[in-house]
Amino acid sequence: MAIPYNSSLQKATFFLTGFQGLENLYGWISIPFCSIYSTVIFGNLTILHVIRTDANLHEPMYYFLAMLALTDLGLCLSTLPTVLGIFWFNAREIGIPACFTQLFFIHSLSLVESSVLLSMSIDRYVAICNPLRYSTILTPARIIKMGLSSVLRSVLLILPLPFLLKRFQYCRSHMLAHAYCLHLEIMKLACSSIIVNHVYGLFVVACTVGVDSLLIFLSYALILRTVLSIASRQERLRALNTCVSHIWAVLLFYIPMIGLSLVHRFGEHLPHTVHLLMSYVYLLVPPLMNPIVYSIKTKQIRQRIAKKFKFIKSLSCFQQD
């Protein structure tokens, strides 16, 4: 039976999916997911706290890192309620308004992350290729404009998606393949033609992630050309070392995205568990690994975090004495 979106908003629902056939193990499965979510929240909040409280880190590179941490935190919190709700309470039912809201935040924040990674590559390009003008080019006002433009672009492009989905009737199975709502999945449940949604989705991906990835590649091509022109081998390595953390962040974002796309397009024969795992890798691995990568590979962040923990340890020892 078709359920029009406009007829009964409160009764129209979708059903989320966990790991089918493993319902008896949901309590155990929830443990690694709780650990991942806790680590994501703690790691990104730590990065934000260190950057906010240390005046020496009030520089463009760390402002962009703070934007990345905020985006990762938001992306994590967008999926947390439904994922853990399934494992803890078997809460598989989600209303269409709530589903569309979650969809909006997941897709918007994914595009924001792509934009932030592009901004970080521009930061590295200016720092290496035009170091004398670094502080005059990447001023605080310009950084704020870059951040706001990233959010504005993502919101404006994703905002039509819920309205495009709203016009459909959903007469097929209301069972979603994941523990959260995605545009690609929901539109496939519609009774009528989805060509507009399909074309618009491809347009959004092409003009955001597609353009961003090309510009990131171009910026690193220019960086590599500049680095290779440096006479000193030690200076070349030092310049490249400042890019390592960002390169890891780019790989952590784009490799799971490409893998998930390939699985959706060519992996119909694969078990449903593979699709689920790839989707979790895409949404959870970048927010999980980015704080770890930057804490390990960025000397200034590593030193400040170690200093914070030493202070907390010394304070606890003082209280015990």
Side-chain angles (χ1 to χ4, degrees):
M1 176 182 177
I3 300 183
Y5 178 87
N6 297 318
S7 64
S8 181
L9 291 180
Q10 301 304 320
K11 293 182 180 179
T13 57
F14 289 114
F15 295 92
L16 305 170
T17 302
F19 291 94
Q20 293 180 336
L22 300 176
E23 287 80 4
N24 293 333
L25 300 176
Y26 274 2
W28 292 103
I29 295 174
S30 70
I31 295 175
F33 278 92
C34 287
S35 301
I36 290 171
Y37 278 116
S38 300
T39 305
V40 169
I41 294 170
F42 176 76
N44 286 287
L45 286 178
T46 300
I47 294 289
L48 289 169
H49 175 72
V50 168
I51 293 173
R52 186 182 69 85
T53 56
D54 195 321
N56 294 322
L57 299 181
H58 293 175
E59 297 178 2
M61 173 182 174
Y62 302 107
Y63 289 144
F64 289 124
L65 177 56
M67 292 181 196
L68 184 66
L70 272 174
T71 306
D72 283 340
L73 196 59
L75 197 56
C76 164
L77 295 176
S78 297
T79 60
L80 184 149
T82 52
V83 172
L84 294 186
I86 288 177
F87 293 140
W88 285 350
F89 310 111
N90 199 29
R92 298 176 54 234
E93 195 170 323
I94 183 170
I96 286 182
C99 186
F100 287 1
T101 301
Q102 184 185 51
L103 173 153
F104 171 78
F105 280 106
I106 289 175
H107 290 298
S108 295
L109 290 168
S110 295
L111 296 189
V112 170
E113 180 144 356
S114 177
S115 299
V116 171
L117 291 173
L118 173 60
S119 299
M120 296 173 83
S121 72
I122 294 172
D123 168 77
R124 291 299 83 209
Y125 166 75
V126 175
I128 293 173
C129 300
N130 206 346
L132 297 180
R133 297 186 58 204
Y134 180 68
S135 58
T136 58
I137 294 176
L138 292 175
T139 60
R142 187 162 289 161
I143 292 170
I144 291 173
K145 289 178 182 177
M146 292 171 71
L148 290 177
S149 64
S150 298
V151 174
L152 188 61
R153 182 188 75 162
S154 303
V155 168
L156 290 178
L157 286 172
I158 297 300
L159 191 59
L161 292 184
F163 295 99
L164 289 173
L165 293 170
K166 177 182 177 180
R167 62 197 177 92
F168 290 135
Q169 289 187 338
Y170 299 96
C171 54
R172 301 174 187 173
S173 168
H174 282 221
M175 190 76 65
L176 300 177
H178 300 96
Y180 41 80
C181 298
L182 297 174
H183 172 254
L184 181 64
E185 268 196 273
I186 295 174
M187 73 176 186
K188 289 181 178 179
L189 302 180
C191 308
S192 51
S193 172
I194 59 173
I195 185 65
V196 174
N197 291 61
H198 189 70
V199 170
Y200 184 74
L202 290 175
F203 166 76
V204 169
V205 172
C207 68
T208 54
V209 176
V211 172
D212 291 348
S213 60
L214 287 175
L215 292 176
I216 290 171
F217 177 80
L218 177 62
S219 67
Y220 271 101
L222 296 174
I223 287 171
L224 189 60
R225 186 183 68 175
T226 301
V227 169
L228 292 177
S229 67
I230 299 174
S232 170
R233 181 176 181 273
Q234 186 175 359
E235 289 299 320
R236 288 201 299 269
L237 292 175
R238 183 179 299 175
L240 288 175
N241 192 52
T242 63
C243 302
V244 171
S245 298
H246 178 253
I247 291 172
W248 272 109
V250 170
L251 294 176
L252 286 169
F253 178 76
Y254 283 104
I255 290 178
M257 175 184 286
I258 294 170
L260 183 62
S261 300
L262 292 175
V263 166
H264 275 303
R265 187 167 296 273
F266 304 111
E268 293 86 356
H269 62 285
L270 294 174
H272 178 65
T273 304
V274 175
H275 290 256
L276 274 180
L277 289 176
M278 282 303 303
S279 68
Y280 287 129
V281 167
Y282 167 61
L283 286 177
L284 295 179
V285 167
L288 173 68
M289 294 304 300
N290 284 336
I292 297 173
V293 168
Y294 274 92
S295 299
I296 294 173
K297 299 301 295 183
T298 307
K299 181 180 178 182
Q300 293 85 346
I301 295 289
R302 184 173 67 249
Q303 289 177 339
R304 297 323 188 269
I305 292 176
K307 185 178 178 181
K308 293 285 183 183
F309 280 106
K310 284 181 181 178
F311 174 76
I312 294 172
K313 185 178 180 181
S314 63
L315 187 64
S316 63
C317 292
F318 176 77
Q319 290 175 344
Q320 290 176 0
D321 293 341

